[in-house]
Amino acid sequence: MVKKVILKGTYCLIIHLSRDTTIQIGKLGSFDFCEGFYVYVGSALNSLESRLKRHLKDDKKLFWHIDYLLADLNADLVEIVFAVDDGKWECAIASNVGVEGVGIKGFGCSDCKCTSHLFKFDDLEGSVGVCINSFKKLLLKPKKLEDL
């Protein structure tokens, strides 16, 4: 019998919002989002692969803040950068990404003291680059969606 290995890790979802839009983010409230690229930083310390596959699905129950953004017709998940590691790196990655991006106050950080886990960028290349560099800065080995 082969036992399945459950991976743990931290990830960045890179989302393209094709137009300005207002989205109700659960109980958090209504947010005005500008067209552009957004990086959401999250972690899965139970099953990274399952979490990432869930984020890629269109048909799911809206639970986390990011689910509401991803469910918007103008939102497209265009890339994932992640690292497999048992450590709790989510807030450190968010802090690093936040140096380059504009934080969306209160988004995705209801369980920590960060000001945001969602950051706006103007372009795809810059958003992916800052994610990769944020993982490397912490000596983590970043992978991309095609590595999943």
Side-chain angles (χ1 to χ4, degrees), residues 119-133:
F119 306 91
K120 179 168 185 318
F121 289 82
D122 292 329
D123 62 275
L124 177 60
E125 191 175 293
S127 58
V128 172
V130 76
C131 293
I132 290 170
N133 290 337

PDB file of all heavy atoms in Angstrom, residues 119-133:
ATOM      1  N   PHE A 119      -2.368  42.261  -3.021  1.00  0.00           N
ATOM      2  CA  PHE A 119      -1.603  43.424  -3.470  1.00  0.00           C
ATOM      3  C   PHE A 119      -1.800  43.651  -4.961  1.00  0.00           C
ATOM      4  O   PHE A 119      -1.768  42.708  -5.741  1.00  0.00           O
ATOM      5  CB  PHE A 119      -0.114  43.213  -3.159  1.00  0.00           C
ATOM      6  CG  PHE A 119       0.122  42.881  -1.720  1.00  0.00           C
ATOM      7  CD1 PHE A 119       0.134  41.564  -1.297  1.00  0.00           C
ATOM      8  CD2 PHE A 119       0.285  43.889  -0.782  1.00  0.00           C
ATOM      9  CE1 PHE A 119       0.312  41.244   0.050  1.00  0.00           C
ATOM     10  CE2 PHE A 119       0.469  43.584   0.561  1.00  0.00           C
ATOM     11  CZ  PHE A 119       0.485  42.260   0.973  1.00  0.00           C
ATOM     12  N   LYS A 120      -1.965  44.913  -5.328  1.00  0.00           N
ATOM     13  CA  LYS A 120      -2.176  45.283  -6.726  1.00  0.00           C
ATOM     14  C   LYS A 120      -0.853  45.611  -7.403  1.00  0.00           C
ATOM     15  O   LYS A 120       0.009  46.255  -6.825  1.00  0.00           O
ATOM     16  CB  LYS A 120      -3.101  46.486  -6.846  1.00  0.00           C
ATOM     17  CG  LYS A 120      -3.301  46.871  -8.309  1.00  0.00           C
ATOM     18  CD  LYS A 120      -4.394  47.826  -8.534  1.00  0.00           C
ATOM     19  CE  LYS A 120      -4.640  48.092  -9.993  1.00  0.00           C
ATOM     20  NZ  LYS A 120      -3.491  48.260 -10.859  1.00  0.00           N
ATOM     21  N   PHE A 121      -0.757  45.159  -8.655  1.00  0.00           N
ATOM     22  CA  PHE A 121       0.383  45.435  -9.518  1.00  0.00           C
ATOM     23  C   PHE A 121      -0.133  45.879 -10.880  1.00  0.00           C
ATOM     24  O   PHE A 121      -1.261  45.552 -11.263  1.00  0.00           O
ATOM     25  CB  PHE A 121       1.251  44.174  -9.700  1.00  0.00           C
ATOM     26  CG  PHE A 121       2.018  43.802  -8.463  1.00  0.00           C
ATOM     27  CD1 PHE A 121       1.416  43.085  -7.442  1.00  0.00           C
ATOM     28  CD2 PHE A 121       3.340  44.173  -8.310  1.00  0.00           C
ATOM     29  CE1 PHE A 121       2.111  42.742  -6.295  1.00  0.00           C
ATOM     30  CE2 PHE A 121       4.048  43.841  -7.169  1.00  0.00           C
ATOM     31  CZ  PHE A 121       3.436  43.127  -6.156  1.00  0.00           C
ATOM     32  N   ASP A 122       0.707  46.577 -11.619  1.00  0.00           N
ATOM     33  CA  ASP A 122       0.308  47.049 -12.945  1.00  0.00           C
ATOM     34  C   ASP A 122       0.505  46.015 -14.036  1.00  0.00           C
ATOM     35  O   ASP A 122      -0.162  46.070 -15.069  1.00  0.00           O
ATOM     36  CB  ASP A 122       1.085  48.321 -13.310  1.00  0.00           C
ATOM     37  CG  ASP A 122       0.686  49.499 -12.432  1.00  0.00           C
ATOM     38  OD1 ASP A 122      -0.483  49.558 -12.009  1.00  0.00           O
ATOM     39  OD2 ASP A 122       1.555  50.355 -12.169  1.00  0.00           O
ATOM     40  N   ASP A 123       1.452  45.086 -13.841  1.00  0.00           N
ATOM     41  CA  ASP A 123       1.727  44.155 -14.931  1.00  0.00           C
ATOM     42  C   ASP A 123       2.004  42.745 -14.409  1.00  0.00           C
ATOM     43  O   ASP A 123       2.363  42.551 -13.245  1.00  0.00           O
ATOM     44  CB  ASP A 123       2.904  44.648 -15.782  1.00  0.00           C
ATOM     45  CG  ASP A 123       4.187  44.742 -14.986  1.00  0.00           C
ATOM     46  OD1 ASP A 123       4.407  45.776 -14.334  1.00  0.00           O
ATOM     47  OD2 ASP A 123       4.964  43.762 -15.002  1.00  0.00           O
ATOM     48  N   LEU A 124       1.846  41.775 -15.283  1.00  0.00           N
ATOM     49  CA  LEU A 124       2.029  40.367 -14.942  1.00  0.00           C
ATOM     50  C   LEU A 124       3.485  40.062 -14.603  1.00  0.00           C
ATOM     51  O   LEU A 124       3.771  39.420 -13.598  1.00  0.00           O
ATOM     52  CB  LEU A 124       1.559  39.486 -16.106  1.00  0.00           C
ATOM     53  CG  LEU A 124       1.752  37.977 -15.943  1.00  0.00           C
ATOM     54  CD1 LEU A 124       0.986  37.462 -14.728  1.00  0.00           C
ATOM     55  CD2 LEU A 124       1.315  37.249 -17.202  1.00  0.00           C
ATOM     56  N   GLU A 125       4.398  40.524 -15.425  1.00  0.00           N
ATOM     57  CA  GLU A 125       5.810  40.230 -15.222  1.00  0.00           C
ATOM     58  C   GLU A 125       6.297  40.716 -13.853  1.00  0.00           C
ATOM     59  O   GLU A 125       6.986  39.995 -13.137  1.00  0.00           O
ATOM     60  CB  GLU A 125       6.631  40.882 -16.333  1.00  0.00           C
ATOM     61  CG  GLU A 125       8.072  40.435 -16.361  1.00  0.00           C
ATOM     62  CD  GLU A 125       8.806  41.010 -17.563  1.00  0.00           C
ATOM     63  OE1 GLU A 125       8.481  40.626 -18.697  1.00  0.00           O
ATOM     64  OE2 GLU A 125       9.690  41.855 -17.338  1.00  0.00           O
ATOM     65  N   GLY A 126       5.922  41.924 -13.488  1.00  0.00           N
ATOM     66  CA  GLY A 126       6.319  42.463 -12.193  1.00  0.00           C
ATOM     67  C   GLY A 126       5.719  41.695 -11.030  1.00  0.00           C
ATOM     68  O   GLY A 126       6.398  41.447 -10.027  1.00  0.00           O
ATOM     69  N   SER A 127       4.466  41.297 -11.161  1.00  0.00           N
ATOM     70  CA  SER A 127       3.811  40.580 -10.063  1.00  0.00           C
ATOM     71  C   SER A 127       4.401  39.189  -9.873  1.00  0.00           C
ATOM     72  O   SER A 127       4.649  38.763  -8.749  1.00  0.00           O
ATOM     73  CB  SER A 127       2.295  40.518 -10.279  1.00  0.00           C
ATOM     74  OG  SER A 127       1.968  39.887 -11.490  1.00  0.00           O
ATOM     75  N   VAL A 128       4.668  38.489 -10.967  1.00  0.00           N
ATOM     76  CA  VAL A 128       5.282  37.162 -10.860  1.00  0.00           C
ATOM     77  C   VAL A 128       6.704  37.288 -10.315  1.00  0.00           C
ATOM     78  O   VAL A 128       7.114  36.532  -9.424  1.00  0.00           O
ATOM     79  CB  VAL A 128       5.280  36.440 -12.228  1.00  0.00           C
ATOM     80  CG1 VAL A 128       6.091  35.144 -12.161  1.00  0.00           C
ATOM     81  CG2 VAL A 128       3.846  36.139 -12.670  1.00  0.00           C
ATOM     82  N   GLY A 129       7.443  38.264 -10.816  1.00  0.00           N
ATOM     83  CA  GLY A 129       8.825  38.469 -10.367  1.00  0.00           C
ATOM     84  C   GLY A 129       8.935  38.736  -8.886  1.00  0.00           C
ATOM     85  O   GLY A 129       9.810  38.176  -8.207  1.00  0.00           O
ATOM     86  N   VAL A 130       8.070  39.583  -8.356  1.00  0.00           N
ATOM     87  CA  VAL A 130       8.145  39.892  -6.925  1.00  0.00           C
ATOM     88  C   VAL A 130       7.789  38.658  -6.089  1.00  0.00           C
ATOM     89  O   VAL A 130       8.354  38.452  -5.013  1.00  0.00           O
ATOM     90  CB  VAL A 130       7.280  41.123  -6.548  1.00  0.00           C
ATOM     91  CG1 VAL A 130       5.805  40.796  -6.500  1.00  0.00           C
ATOM     92  CG2 VAL A 130       7.717  41.697  -5.214  1.00  0.00           C
ATOM     93  N   CYS A 131       6.896  37.812  -6.585  1.00  0.00           N
ATOM     94  CA  CYS A 131       6.566  36.586  -5.855  1.00  0.00           C
ATOM     95  C   CYS A 131       7.771  35.652  -5.811  1.00  0.00           C
ATOM     96  O   CYS A 131       8.153  35.160  -4.736  1.00  0.00           O
ATOM     97  CB  CYS A 131       5.379  35.878  -6.504  1.00  0.00           C
ATOM     98  SG  CYS A 131       3.833  36.778  -6.367  1.00  0.00           S
ATOM     99  N   ILE A 132       8.365  35.410  -6.963  1.00  0.00           N
ATOM    100  CA  ILE A 132       9.535  34.531  -7.022  1.00  0.00           C
ATOM    101  C   ILE A 132      10.651  35.059  -6.128  1.00  0.00           C
ATOM    102  O   ILE A 132      11.243  34.309  -5.338  1.00  0.00           O
ATOM    103  CB  ILE A 132      10.011  34.382  -8.485  1.00  0.00           C
ATOM    104  CG1 ILE A 132       8.990  33.547  -9.274  1.00  0.00           C
ATOM    105  CG2 ILE A 132      11.402  33.748  -8.552  1.00  0.00           C
ATOM    106  CD1 ILE A 132       9.212  33.526 -10.768  1.00  0.00           C
ATOM    107  N   ASN A 133      10.931  36.343  -6.206  1.00  0.00           N
ATOM    108  CA  ASN A 133      11.989  36.944  -5.379  1.00  0.00           C
ATOM    109  C   ASN A 133      11.668  36.876  -3.891  1.00  0.00           C
ATOM    110  O   ASN A 133      12.574  36.722  -3.059  1.00  0.00           O
ATOM    111  CB  ASN A 133      12.255  38.379  -5.807  1.00  0.00           C
ATOM    112  CG  ASN A 133      12.925  38.450  -7.162  1.00  0.00           C
ATOM    113  OD1 ASN A 133      13.571  37.497  -7.604  1.00  0.00           O
ATOM    114  ND2 ASN A 133      12.760  39.568  -7.850  1.00  0.00           N
TER     115      ASN A 133
END
